[in-house]
Amino acid sequence: MNEKVKYTVKADDFSHAGDVSGKVRDWMKKLPIDAEAVRRAAIALYEGEINMIIHSNGGEIDVEVSDRCITMTLSDRGPGIPDVDLATQEGYSTAGESARSMGFGAGMGFASMKKHTDYMMIDSRKGIGTTITMKIYF
Amino acid sequence: MTVKDLINSDIFEAVNSGIHTETKIERVYCCDMLSLALARASEGCAWITVICNINTLAVAYRTKAACVIIAEGVAVDENFRKEAESHGITVFRTTLPVFEAALKLHNIVKEE
Ligand SMILES: Nc1ncnc2c1ncn2[C@@H]1O[C@H](COP(=O)(O)OP(=O)(O)OP(=O)(O)O)[C@@H](O)[C@H]1O
Ligand SMILES: [Mg+2]
């Protein structure tokens, strides 16, 4: 099996927040993937998608499913994360007032992405963008 | 107590009746930070929060919470109700503060 999908995520587009991860989840449900792996992927991808909407200038989400692995790649067009170690600490958040009033900004998104995946790598370049790769084996 | 029993009681005001109303309410969970709720709310819980926007529903749907209870008299707009309807999620509202709403429901759920 080698199935792929690609979606665009717009910055600040809260009215469609969660749409992409929802579509990916529905697509994965039709593939022969363990349900628990789909659930974990959907949660991790939702957090990544919301981060792109709140913190980035927008970008793309690619998901690839092979015989035993889900690979999710989220790449945005900046602004980049100045200090990845700091940003991935539980409780660290730069979310602004409007994001906080919607229930975001606990600084727990990255922790949850890590917890729900088997592999997570963040490659961020200031001014260029951030690429996050997550893998789930099933 | 099932979600249906809660709808038929007068404890909270039902804003939308979802599709899985036979679900038994296993426990009560309170949290207003969505990333925490997404990681920790468990299947079959009644989730009490003051955050009322489409992201609340996205989290409820993904965690398979039994229902969502919007506390503190926070306004539930028509857009939210429609979105809950299209996702089949049961939503209640109450003027009670989060703790009092949780305590009330917890006392019923723990008896079972
Ligand atoms: N795609 C991104 N581009 C730029 N900065 C980012 C990106 N994703 C995350 N960050 C930075 O990392 C911080 C931590 O992200 P994390 O998802 O853990 O928490 P949060 O989004 O602030 O709050 P929560 O996810 O709990 O609602 C963010 O506050 C932000 O500063
Ligand atoms: Mg986040």
Side-chain angles (χ1 to χ4, degrees):
Chain A
M1 169 166 62
N2 189 271
E3 305 284 342
K4 289 177 190 173
V5 280
K6 187 184 192 87
Y7 288 101
T8 301
V9 177
K10 285 196 198 126
D12 298 318
D13 189 8
F14 283 103
S15 58
H16 293 103
D19 275 14
V20 171
S21 54
K23 280 179 193 156
V24 170
R25 177 198 57 227
D26 293 346
W27 171 77
M28 285 191 293
K29 273 186 182 169
K30 293 185 198 132
L31 299 174
I33 310 173
D34 165 62
E36 178 59 15
V38 172
R39 190 190 70 87
R40 288 163 61 206
I43 289 177
L45 194 59
Y46 177 77
E47 290 293 353
E49 177 187 1
I50 297 292
N51 277 357
M52 285 172 84
I53 294 170
I54 298 180
H55 307 294
S56 91
N57 303 328
E60 258 140 25
I61 292 180
D62 283 276
V63 182
E64 190 173 342
V65 179
S66 69
D67 285 337
R68 41 180 288 274
C69 182
I70 302 168
T71 306
M72 303 181 280
T73 311
L74 297 75
S75 44
D76 66 52
R77 292 181 292 275
I81 303 173
D83 185 340
V84 171
D85 286 341
L86 182 64
T88 49
Q89 272 176 27
E90 290 189 13
Y92 178 84
S93 175
T94 59
E97 199 46 52
S98 69
R100 284 178 196 272
S101 70
M102 277 186 278
F104 300 113
M108 293 300 291
F110 275 134
S112 185
M113 285 154 75
K114 193 152 192 228
K115 180 182 153 203
H116 289 96
T117 56
D118 298 310
Y119 169 91
M120 177 172 87
M121 201 193 56
I122 304 169
D123 179 13
S124 191
R125 276 150 223 228
K126 218 176 152 223
I128 298 175
T130 303
T131 299
I132 298 169
T133 310
M134 295 185 282
K135 286 181 189 284
I136 291 172
Y137 297 98
F138 60 92
Chain B
M1 171 181 253
T2 65
V3 173
K4 198 180 198 166
D5 296 335
L6 190 57
I7 292 171
N8 293 334
S9 77
D10 279 333
I11 304 172
F12 307 124
E13 178 195 339
V15 175
N16 183 60
S17 239
I19 43 178
H20 302 296
T21 54
E22 304 300 333
T23 305
K24 184 168 178 280
I25 297 173
E26 300 286 350
R27 68 191 72 75
V28 185
Y29 176 77
C30 307
C31 183
D32 296 321
M33 300 312 293
L34 298 180
S35 60
L36 273 179
L38 182 60
R40 309 235 173 108
S42 52
E43 187 169 349
C45 73
W47 175 27
I48 307 183
T49 178
V50 296
I51 301 295
C52 184
N53 63 61
I54 57 156
N55 303 293
T56 314
L57 297 169
V59 170
Y61 186 80
R62 283 164 177 79
T63 55
K64 298 198 175 109
C67 60
V68 177
I69 300 155
I70 306 293
E72 294 275 8
V74 168
V76 179
D77 66 22
E78 183 53 19
N79 188 31
F80 183 88
R81 198 201 59 76
K82 275 196 187 138
E83 198 70 22
E85 191 174 26
S86 73
H87 281 85
I89 300 168
T90 301
V91 175
F92 297 92
R93 67 184 293 269
T94 177
T95 52
L96 291 174
V98 171
F99 178 76
E100 285 172 36
L103 187 63
K104 208 165 179 177
L105 191 53
H106 174 74
N107 283 335
I108 299 167
V109 171
K110 76 160 192 219
E111 291 300 317
E112 300 174 354

